[in-house]
Amino acid sequence: MTFSPLQLAALTGIGGIIGYFSGLLGVGGGFMLTPLLIFLFRIPEQLAVGSGMAQMIAVGFGATRRHMAAGFVDFRLFGVSAPGVVAGTFAGKWILSWLVSLGAVSLIGQQFQLARLVLSVLFLLMLGWIAVRFWGEAGQEKSTSATGRLCWTCGPLLIALPASGVSRVSLVALLACGLLIGVMAGLLGVGGGVVLIPLLVFGFGIPMRLAIGTSSAIVMLSAIVVTGQYALIDAVSLPLVIALMLGSVLGVQIGAWHSHRLAVGHLHRVFAIVAIVVACIVLFRLFG
Amino acid sequence: MGNWLPTTNPAVAATARVVVSIGIPLIWALCVEAVIHLSRNREAGE
């Protein structure tokens, strides 16, 4: 697929806007980028997922390095989740390739590409959840000491996570959690931090800072594995990746700089509205 | 993306695609980190 200079400029702009929110609010942004690439720019699903995850390597690298330097990565937690993440990425990519191979289906008198239909439903659910979550968080102080409410401390193969101060946690539950994140990355092209961080905090009782740091390392791993998988089938476009990286890396720096100067609490509402706008684009393009 | 590769061997081409697709974002990120590091050092020195 080739891109015109105008398209590349627009993609750089989109990368910059999403990067700005990433730097401002500490979110990855893949859940917005991939649907915009597919539904706004009409980029094929596999190319959008592969290229989106490749640019996530560039965006996530700095965050992971900073969290590691500050000691906020639990390497044991990362190590036990990693096999699940890697297996999940393979499963996610396989599911997407299978959906693409199924072609079109007829539904309520309209023809839909099955892959596009399934992805749009999943994106709509995710964007809706994110909009509700960020709207609810508006104006609230972010807790850094949240502890587990569900705490999956029972189950088979219990292990301890000393760095996180967790005495026992089910290895199977951690692997399942990693598997879910891997499937999300391979199928939807999203890092999954917005799902992983609440899971680690409320599911396993991991302290918030360690959950954020370890999550960024896990997202980096899934981004690298997914990029490799999609590069193998020639579904990573370098011009697209470079255009997105140009915008997003600049946007992240401006967002991070602004985050110290703006009342971020109120910007959660703006972000929730942006998520709703992206959901509307997905919906209109699906039926358009 | 594989058109620019000076090879007709599919295995070599696939490996090159993987290395380039992961390598370019990593190099880009390292360059950005280096620029940030240098600018902070300059600020600290002033």
Side-chain angles (χ1 to χ4, degrees):
Chain A
M1 186 173 182
T2 52
F3 299 94
S4 68
L6 196 67
Q7 277 177 315
L8 288 174
L11 285 161
T12 305
I14 290 287
I17 293 166
I18 293 172
Y20 177 76
F21 279 108
S22 299
L24 199 64
L25 303 173
V27 294
F31 53 88
M32 282 195 179
L33 181 63
T34 318
L36 284 174
L37 292 180
I38 295 172
F39 294 97
L40 193 61
F41 290 92
R42 303 278 192 195
I43 293 169
E45 295 85 356
Q46 289 170 312
L47 196 68
V49 171
S51 307
M53 291 307 272
Q55 75 92 34
M56 204 173 283
I57 297 173
V59 178
F61 181 85
T64 307
R65 197 193 63 77
R66 274 186 283 277
H67 287 304
M68 279 172 76
F72 291 132
V73 176
D74 184 338
F75 288 100
R76 193 179 167 108
L77 172 60
F78 174 80
V80 294
S81 309
V85 173
V86 174
T89 58
F90 279 94
K93 182 189 166 282
W94 180 83
I95 294 168
L96 183 55
S97 302
W98 176 66
L99 287 170
V100 169
S101 72
L102 289 178
V105 288
S106 186
L107 203 72
I108 51 171
Q110 258 189 305
Q111 285 283 106
F112 293 102
Q113 290 295 319
L114 191 62
R116 202 154 279 218
L117 184 67
V118 172
L119 257 55
S120 59
V121 170
L122 292 173
F123 277 129
L124 285 172
L125 288 172
M126 198 187 300
L127 288 163
W129 179 70
I130 285 160
V132 169
R133 192 188 134 190
F134 273 84
W135 191 271
E137 276 181 11
Q140 289 179 9
E141 280 291 315
K142 206 167 195 174
S143 168
T144 54
S145 58
T147 51
R149 288 179 194 164
L150 305 172
C151 282
W152 294 320
T153 51
C154 51
L157 300 171
L158 291 174
I159 58 160
L161 298 170
S164 298
V166 176
S167 57
R168 54 180 200 157
V169 63
S170 170
L171 178 65
V172 176
L174 279 174
L175 280 172
C177 182
L179 193 74
L180 171 73
I181 298 306
V183 170
M184 284 176 69
L187 175 63
L188 302 173
V190 299
V194 283
V195 176
L196 184 59
I197 293 167
L199 267 178
L200 291 177
V201 172
F202 298 115
F204 300 104
I206 309 291
M208 182 65 91
R209 286 189 194 282
L210 274 158
I212 293 170
T214 312
S215 160
S216 73
I218 291 172
V219 168
M220 265 294 284
L221 172 72
S222 64
I224 289 172
V225 177
V226 172
T227 303
Q229 289 170 8
Y230 280 95
L232 275 177
I233 57 166
D234 208 359
V236 177
S237 164
L238 279 184
L240 174 57
V241 175
I242 291 168
L244 292 171
M245 282 194 312
L246 273 173
S248 60
V249 169
L250 195 66
V252 165
Q253 300 305 325
I254 297 169
W257 182 76
H258 261 175
S259 70
H260 303 296
R261 289 161 177 79
L262 296 175
V264 176
H266 298 292
L267 287 166
H268 280 78
R269 284 215 172 108
V270 177
F271 189 69
I273 293 166
V274 174
I276 293 166
V277 170
V278 176
C280 290
I281 291 170
V282 172
L283 210 57
F284 285 127
R285 285 288 186 158
L286 184 66
F287 292 101
Chain B
M1 185 182 126
N3 299 342
W4 53 269
L5 291 166
T7 177
T8 51
N9 186 328
V12 175
T15 309
R17 278 201 304 270
V18 172
V19 171
V20 170
S21 299
I22 296 172
I24 285 183
L26 276 177
I27 291 166
W28 175 266
L30 280 169
C31 290
V32 171
E33 286 295 304
V35 169
I36 292 169
H37 186 73
L38 284 173
S39 67
R40 277 191 191 149
N41 276 2
R42 188 176 289 178
E43 274 176 23
E46 275 172 6

